[in-house]
Amino acid sequence: MALRVVQWATGGVGQAAIEHILAHPDLELVGCWVHSPEKSGKDAGDIVGSDKTGVIATHSVEEILALDADCVLYAPLLPDAGQVRAILRSGKNVVTPLGWFWPTDRERSKMEPAALEGGVTLHGTGIDPGGATEQQPLFFSGLSSAITFVRGEEFSDIRTYNAPDVVRHIMGFGGTPEEAKAGPMLGLLARGFEQSVRMCLDTLGFADAEIRSSHEIAVATAEIDSPAGVIEPGRVAAQRFAWEAFIGETKVVRVAVNWLMGEENLDPAWEFGPGGERFEIEVEGDPDCSVVIHGWHPSSVTAGLLRNPGIVVTAAHCVNSIPTVCAAPPGILTFVDMPVVTGRAHPDLAR
């Protein structure tokens, strides 16, 4: 019998998740929560541009909590821990790209009782964080010994991210450097990426380490066209956020994102280099390992605005985790406690 799944929110990740759920042979879409009242009452298929599903979206939290379902894929813009606890207490597993990848004892004490009360499981996953910044460095570390350093890093053209309000008002692109430095982005990102660093530290067995964050900015030297509007000279056009763990002055973990509004007209003159847009995984040990991942970025800005592979990858990692999460004992489930998560064959090629 297929597992009954609810999609919570239908932004970029949510829409891609609905597509993946509909294609997965072991899953059935049975509910859809939407933030916008204008979407409420629409068929989920109409929201994602596919055939009708028979699943009607709702803006009512109470309707979703009362629904008979096995799992909620929770993907709003920002997490609400109270909402997640309510979903767990209603007896539904939760898979989310918005946190709880490697919860602290304090975070666990807040969330685990709700999961145990509902007899279900909470799992945080995704791609960055939730994959390239901890899962994959740890996976490749399994091919080495005597590890001294691991790194997961993203290099992306942010013009392909089709969320102009987020890019402008939350990420701080197009504002002054002072506004970006004082804005919420570093704090919002730290909730996930510090967990990535701690997962690597704890799992690999490093000694107590100090985590240091940094935020670098490049400004436009000429007007830069972007889906979020024109970036004026002197305004923020590229940002690099990094979280690094040090034992003494020895760097043992680095997690970072490099987000550029293209490679032209930047000061400092940042560029992606010959590798282009990519994700990089690095392990220093016996032996060393270096992995570059392509394919998770669109072929052009226009293609990314239509369908960004990075968003699709995030959704796929969540959806493919659902069967394992639903089969797990109640509580909080992290990547290191799970078997390998895989995709499934295309329906035309399946048994």
Side-chain angles (χ1 to χ4, degrees):
M1 181 179 295
L3 295 168
R4 296 167 57 83
V5 181
V6 172
Q7 176 55 46
W8 188 291
T10 56
V13 171
Q15 291 190 35
I18 288 174
E19 296 174 356
H20 290 314
I21 293 166
L22 295 174
H24 198 293
D26 300 326
L27 305 178
E28 177 188 2
L29 183 71
V30 298
C32 179
W33 182 88
V34 288
H35 178 268
S36 166
E38 289 74 25
K39 291 182 180 178
S40 185
K42 292 186 176 182
D43 188 284
D46 292 334
I47 294 174
V48 303
S50 69
D51 295 339
K52 290 190 181 298
T53 64
V55 175
I56 305 303
T58 178
H59 185 58
S60 168
V61 172
E62 291 72 22
E63 286 184 25
I64 295 298
L65 295 179
L67 191 64
D68 177 19
D70 297 292
C71 186
V72 172
L73 201 164
Y74 181 81
L77 178 60
L78 297 172
D80 182 325
Q83 282 182 343
V84 175
R85 286 193 293 269
I87 296 168
L88 293 168
R89 284 195 295 266
S90 76
K92 299 173 185 63
N93 298 279
V94 173
V95 173
T96 178
L98 296 178
W100 302 287
F101 312 103
W102 194 253
T104 63
D105 290 343
R106 183 171 180 271
E107 291 168 328
R108 185 176 288 272
S109 70
K110 289 183 176 182
M111 305 304 292
E112 196 161 49
L116 296 176
E117 180 182 339
V120 291
T121 301
L122 168 63
H123 176 59
T125 189
I127 192 59
D128 190 21
T133 49
E134 68 293 284
Q135 185 203 49
Q136 287 144 37
L138 289 174
F139 172 82
F140 285 105
S141 76
L143 306 176
S144 301
S145 65
I147 308 300
T148 59
F149 175 74
V150 296
R151 176 174 65 92
E153 191 157 359
E154 174 191 357
F155 300 82
S156 295
D157 188 334
I158 209 65
R159 294 178 301 173
T160 64
Y161 185 43
N162 193 12
D165 288 341
V166 174
V167 171
R168 277 278 185 179
H169 304 302
I170 296 179
M171 299 174 76
F173 284 92
T176 67
E178 293 75 21
E179 289 169 339
K181 287 285 188 180
M185 200 61 193
L186 181 61
L188 292 172
L189 293 174
R191 296 176 186 174
F193 288 113
E194 286 187 0
Q195 292 184 56
S196 299
V197 173
R198 288 191 289 101
M199 182 187 288
C200 291
L201 290 170
D202 294 347
T203 304
L204 294 171
F206 282 116
D208 289 343
E210 176 190 4
I211 300 176
R212 306 173 190 171
S213 64
S214 62
H215 179 195
E216 301 171 71
I217 289 174
V219 298
T221 59
E223 289 188 351
I224 298 174
D225 287 331
S226 85
V230 173
I231 309 296
E232 300 290 345
R235 298 301 182 104
V236 174
Q239 300 186 70
R240 177 183 293 123
F241 297 89
W243 293 263
E244 298 177 318
F246 292 82
I247 300 175
E249 290 306 311
T250 300
K251 187 189 303 182
V252 294
V253 178
R254 174 179 168 86
V255 168
V257 294
N258 301 264
W259 291 335
L260 284 64
M261 285 285 183
E263 299 179 274
E264 299 180 353
N265 303 319
L266 298 178
D267 180 24
W270 293 353
E271 58 182 26
F272 295 123
E277 293 185 85
R278 64 200 183 278
F279 286 81
E280 290 184 350
I281 311 300
E282 182 181 4
V283 176
E284 292 182 2
D286 181 21
D288 295 341
C289 175
S290 179
V291 179
V292 177
I293 300 173
H294 291 291
W296 295 350
H297 292 92
S299 58
S300 67
V301 173
T302 301
L305 296 177
L306 295 174
R307 194 171 192 263
N308 191 315
I311 301 298
V312 178
V313 165
T314 301
H317 203 187
C318 292
V319 170
N320 290 328
S321 299
I322 290 174
T324 298
V325 172
C326 289
I332 296 177
L333 184 69
T334 71
F335 151 70
V336 297
D337 303 313
M338 297 174 67
V340 174
V341 171
T342 71
R344 296 296 299 272
H346 189 284
D348 293 344
L349 302 174
R351 294 185 181 130

